[in-house]
Amino acid sequence: MTSSTPARPARTRKPKPEGQWKVDGPAPLNHNEEFKAEDDGFHVRARIEQKYSKEGFASIDGDDLHGRFRWWGLYTQRKPGVDGGKTGSLSDSEIEDEYFMMRVRLDGGTLTLRQLKVLAEISTEFARGTADVTDRQNIQYHWIRIEDVPEIWRRLEEAGMDTVSACGDVPRVILGSPVAGVAVDEIIDPTPALDALKTEVRKLEFSNLPRKYKTAITGHPSLDVVHEINDCSFVGVDHTEFGPGFDLWIGGALSVQPFLGKRLGVFVREDQVVDVWRGVTGIFRDYGYRRLRNRARLKFLVRDWGVEKFRKVLQDEYLGYELEDGPAPQEPGTPGDHIGVHKQKDGKNFIGVAPRAGRVPGKMLHQLAEVMQRFGSDRVRTTPYQKLLILDIDDADVDAAVAALEAIDLPAKPGAFRRATVACTGIEFCKLAIVETKQVASDVMDDLDRRLEDVTLPAPISLHINGCPNSCARFQAADIGLKGQLLPTEDGGQKPGYQVHLGGGFASVERGLEANLGRTVRGLKVFQDELPDYVENLTRRYLAQRESDESFAAWAIRAEEDDLK
C-alpha cells in the first residue's frame, strides 16, 4: 500500500550553546560559571584574612570553600581513613577534612637559598613536616589550617613567593626549563619572557577562564617542559633567517580524554611571546566551552577548529598581525630530567638529584639548605619530573657536594627506577584518589633497583603511578603508566591495583620528537602488592626481546599482548 502524502522532513535539533562568550554571550550556564560571575576568585583573599582565619573552618561559605579558595592555591584534603571505594560516592563534606592542601606557585621552578629556607620553615611549623615537589614544579603542603593561612602568605610574600592562581580556572604555574640561563647548550634563555608572563597571569582579565589553563616555555634542546600536554607552549628553535626564538604549540592536556598539543607552525620572536600568550589565552577565555566542565579545556576547541582556523583567529582578532612560519624543534640529544652533574655557561656546575617521587619533607629542605650554604650555592630549581637541581657548584666541590646530597637521600646517581618514577598525591591526601601512590612508588623503586642490579638498562624506564583516572602523574605518557583502581579478588572482595598503560612518552633522546599516548591491553591490570613482580618480569622480557637499540616504549608498542602480561 502506498501513499501520495509526501514524507515529513526529519527534524533537526538546534545544538545547545557551549557557553562561548563571543558566540553565546556571558550568561552563566552552570553553577561554576555562576559563582565566578558573582564574585571573582581573587576577591576571596580578603574574606580569608578578615573572617575565615579568625572564625575557623565552620565559618567558610560553600562556594568559597569548594570554588574560590582554589584561586589562592587551597583545596580541602581527604579525611584520614576514608576508603578508596567511597571516592566519588561521598559528598565533599563527607570526604574532606578541615585541613588544606596549599600549593606554592613557582613559575619556572626557581628558588633562592632564602626562599628554600622559608619553605622549609613553613613545612615544619604549619604543615606537619610535609612538602612535595609536583610535576608542575610547585611545592605542595598538607595539613594547613585556615587559621594559619594569612601568616603563611605573609612569610611567602616577604620572600618573593605566593600561591596566586596555583589552582582554579586561571592560568596555572608556568612550566619553565629548570636550566634556563645556565645550560651550555641552550638555544635561547626563556627567562625574560617567563618573567614578563608572570605579570600577565595575575591580571583580572584572565581570572575567569572556562577551566584551568597551563603554559610552558623552554629554550633547551632536551625539550624539558613536557610541552605536548600544555595549553600553550613555547619551545626554543633557531630560525635560519630570524635567529633564536620559539615554536608555538597549543591545546595539549591529559586527564580522562588525553590530547597531545598541536604545532601552530609559527615562529614567535622573544618580544612577541607576551602578545601571543595573551592572544591564545584570550581565545580560550572568549571562545572556550563553558557549559560542560568536561569540555571546558582548550584541547576541545583546538580539536573542533583545527590549527588553520586557530591561527587565523589568533592573528586577525587578537594580534592584528601575521606571524612568520617557523621550524619545528630538533630532536632532543640529551635527557630532559637533568639528573647528574652538568657544566654551566659560567664554568660552574649544576647537580640534578632525585627525591622519592617528589617527597621533600621539611627536614630534608632544611638539610638541603645547609648543603647549599656549605658549598656556596644560592640557587635551586624544581623540575617537571619531580626532581631538584642545585646550581653554581665549583669544580673542586662537586664530589663533596654529591656525597653530601646522597647523605640526605638526594642522589645524583640514582638507580634507573628511582630516577624515572613519578607519583601523584594519592589517597593519603587527595579526595579524588582511589589508591595509595607515594609510599608505593618509594617502595617499588627501591625494590626494582635491587632486583635488577644484574642488568644494564639502555635508558631509565619511566614508571608513573596515578591514584585515579585524572592523570596528575601523566600515566598515559610513561613507559609504564599505572591508573589506580580497586580490583576484584577471587573471594569476592577488592584490593588496590592499577590498570596498566604501556609505551607512552614525550619527545626524548630515546624516541625523538614522536610523543605517544601508548597502548592499553584489555584486562591488563595488576594488584598493588604484585607490582614489583610484574615490572621486573616485564623489564626482563623487554631486554630479552629488544632489537638493536630499541627503546622500551618502541618494544611495548609492537610486542604481542601475551608478552606484556
Side-chain angles (χ1 to χ4, degrees):
M1 185 175 178
T2 61
S3 171
S4 60
T5 304
R8 182 175 297 175
R11 289 184 178 179
T12 57
R13 289 186 177 181
K14 184 178 180 181
K16 290 184 177 180
E18 290 277 13
Q20 297 169 282
W21 280 2
K22 276 204 170 184
V23 177
D24 307 308
L29 298 179
N30 58 51
H31 185 65
N32 280 280
E33 292 301 311
E34 287 172 354
F35 80 69
K36 289 190 291 182
E38 288 170 2
D39 188 28
D40 193 278
F42 282 168
H43 297 163
V44 77
R45 174 163 179 157
R47 292 191 288 278
I48 291 173
E49 292 176 324
Q50 298 165 18
K51 176 179 171 64
Y52 302 145
S53 64
K54 293 178 170 57
E55 299 179 15
F57 187 89
S59 69
I60 304 172
D61 170 79
D63 283 341
D64 284 348
L65 182 64
H66 300 123
R68 301 181 189 95
F69 269 38
R70 292 176 289 172
W71 272 245
W72 288 93
L74 294 165
Y75 281 105
T76 50
Q77 69 185 41
R78 190 186 192 94
K79 190 179 298 181
V82 179
D83 183 78
K86 296 179 181 178
T87 300
S89 64
L90 297 179
S91 66
D92 273 323
S93 62
E94 292 173 305
I95 201 169
E96 71 189 0
D97 209 344
E98 294 188 0
Y99 295 92
F100 293 89
M101 176 276 287
M102 173 182 277
R103 190 174 292 157
V104 181
R105 180 183 184 123
L106 300 176
D107 294 293
T110 61
L111 285 168
T112 64
L113 177 59
R114 178 183 172 226
Q115 289 173 332
L116 182 68
K117 289 179 178 179
V118 170
L119 291 174
E121 291 166 359
I122 291 172
S123 171
T124 54
E125 290 184 42
F126 301 108
R128 300 190 186 181
T130 62
D132 295 332
V133 177
T134 74
D135 59 11
R136 291 200 62 81
Q137 297 180 275
N138 295 308
I139 289 290
Q140 195 160 283
Y141 296 122
H142 299 283
W143 297 111
I144 299 297
R145 302 187 319 138
I146 191 62
E147 290 86 351
D148 296 326
V149 168
E151 174 61 15
I152 295 172
W153 280 341
R154 187 191 68 77
R155 295 193 191 186
L156 288 172
E157 290 165 4
E158 192 175 65
M161 297 177 287
D162 60 39
T163 66
V164 177
S165 298
C167 315
D169 298 354
V170 287
R172 301 284 184 91
V173 66
I174 303 168
L175 289 188
S177 172
V179 296
V182 301
V184 172
D185 54 348
E186 190 172 50
I187 298 168
I188 182 172
D189 182 358
T191 304
L194 189 147
D195 287 344
L197 289 177
K198 288 180 185 179
T199 301
E200 297 296 322
V201 302
R202 288 160 171 79
K203 292 181 177 178
L204 283 174
E205 63 186 297
F206 298 123
S207 66
N208 182 356
L209 300 179
R211 208 171 172 191
K212 60 187 175 183
Y213 178 80
K214 299 179 178 180
T215 305
I217 185 166
T218 182
H220 195 263
S222 66
L223 305 180
D224 50 4
V225 293
V226 293
H227 63 279
E228 302 98 329
I229 56 166
N230 283 268
D231 296 282
C232 179
S233 293
F234 300 91
V235 178
V237 292
D238 198 354
H239 196 288
T240 55
E241 181 179 353
F242 304 109
F246 298 96
D247 186 38
L248 178 62
W249 294 61
I250 57 168
L254 291 179
S255 193
V256 295
Q257 296 187 62
F259 189 83
L260 293 175
K262 302 291 185 183
R263 287 190 64 235
L264 209 61
V266 299
F267 179 73
V268 182
R269 299 193 312 266
E270 183 179 21
D271 61 359
Q272 294 174 323
V273 168
V274 171
D275 278 353
V276 170
W277 182 88
R278 285 179 57 85
V280 175
T281 311
I283 288 175
F284 182 47
R285 178 194 60 205
D286 301 336
Y287 287 103
Y289 304 145
R290 293 175 181 259
R291 180 172 66 89
L292 298 176
R293 291 287 286 178
N294 63 1
R295 278 175 54 80
R297 291 295 304 274
L298 185 63
K299 61 184 175 182
F300 295 104
L301 184 67
V302 172
R303 185 186 66 184
D304 293 349
W305 276 12
V307 294
E308 289 185 10
K309 179 177 178 178
F310 197 99
R311 178 174 177 174
K312 180 173 175 55
V313 173
L314 173 63
Q315 293 176 156
D316 294 351
E317 295 186 29
Y318 290 84
L319 293 179
Y321 56 86
E322 292 190 3
L323 296 164
E324 301 288 345
D325 293 339
Q330 295 182 350
E331 292 190 2
T334 55
D337 63 3
H338 304 299
I339 291 294
V341 179
H342 305 269
K343 273 291 180 186
Q344 297 178 182
K345 291 178 181 179
D346 61 3
K348 293 188 177 184
N349 303 274
F350 68 85
I351 303 174
V353 297
R356 294 180 173 275
R359 278 277 149 98
V360 286
K363 180 180 178 182
M364 177 180 285
L365 295 178
H366 280 295
Q367 293 171 323
L368 175 58
E370 291 171 0
V371 171
M372 291 173 61
Q373 199 156 349
R374 174 182 165 191
F375 294 104
S377 171
D378 188 52
R379 297 189 292 173
V380 63
R381 305 268 174 92
T382 61
T383 86
Y385 295 92
Q386 298 181 330
K387 305 300 187 285
L388 295 170
L389 309 186
I390 294 84
L391 276 54
D392 306 325
I393 304 298
D394 290 330
D395 286 347
D397 292 329
V398 165
D399 290 343
V402 167
L405 291 165
E406 176 81 36
I408 61 173
D409 199 24
L410 290 175
K413 300 176 182 178
F417 281 95
R418 171 77 177 260
R419 176 172 181 167
T421 296
V422 171
C424 71
T425 298
I427 200 172
E428 182 181 9
F429 296 117
C430 179
K431 295 183 294 184
L432 301 178
I434 300 168
V435 301
E436 170 59 49
T437 56
K438 288 289 190 182
Q439 191 60 50
V440 170
S442 181
D443 294 341
V444 168
M445 67 173 72
D446 286 347
D447 198 357
L448 289 171
D449 282 335
R450 282 193 299 269
R451 291 179 182 221
L452 293 163
E453 281 180 336
D454 62 315
V455 302
T456 300
L457 292 176
I461 295 174
S462 57
L463 177 66
H464 290 205
I465 304 178
N466 216 83
C468 77
N470 288 313
S471 200
C472 293
R474 309 193 295 251
F475 66 86
Q476 302 105 322
D479 289 319
I480 304 172
L482 304 171
K483 180 176 71 174
Q485 54 189 221
L486 295 176
L487 303 180
T489 57
E490 292 182 356
D491 61 3
Q494 289 182 317
K495 284 172 56 177
Y498 306 94
Q499 181 182 7
V500 181
H501 295 249
L502 295 168
F506 304 117
S508 65
V509 176
E510 295 78 30
R511 65 192 310 136
L513 293 173
E514 294 300 316
N516 191 292
L517 294 175
R519 66 186 287 194
T520 58
V521 176
R522 185 179 296 275
L524 180 50
K525 300 178 181 181
V526 59
F527 288 116
Q528 195 173 81
D529 55 7
E530 297 174 359
L531 185 56
D533 290 338
Y534 171 73
V535 177
E536 180 190 5
N537 293 336
L538 188 67
T539 302
R540 293 188 184 279
R541 205 169 298 133
Y542 154 64
L543 292 173
Q545 296 182 3
R546 71 188 293 256
E547 299 174 354
S548 182
D549 58 352
E550 188 176 34
S551 69
F552 178 90
W555 171 79
I557 293 298
R558 72 162 178 85
E560 297 293 331
E561 289 190 359
D562 287 345
D563 290 328
L564 301 177
K565 294 182 177 179

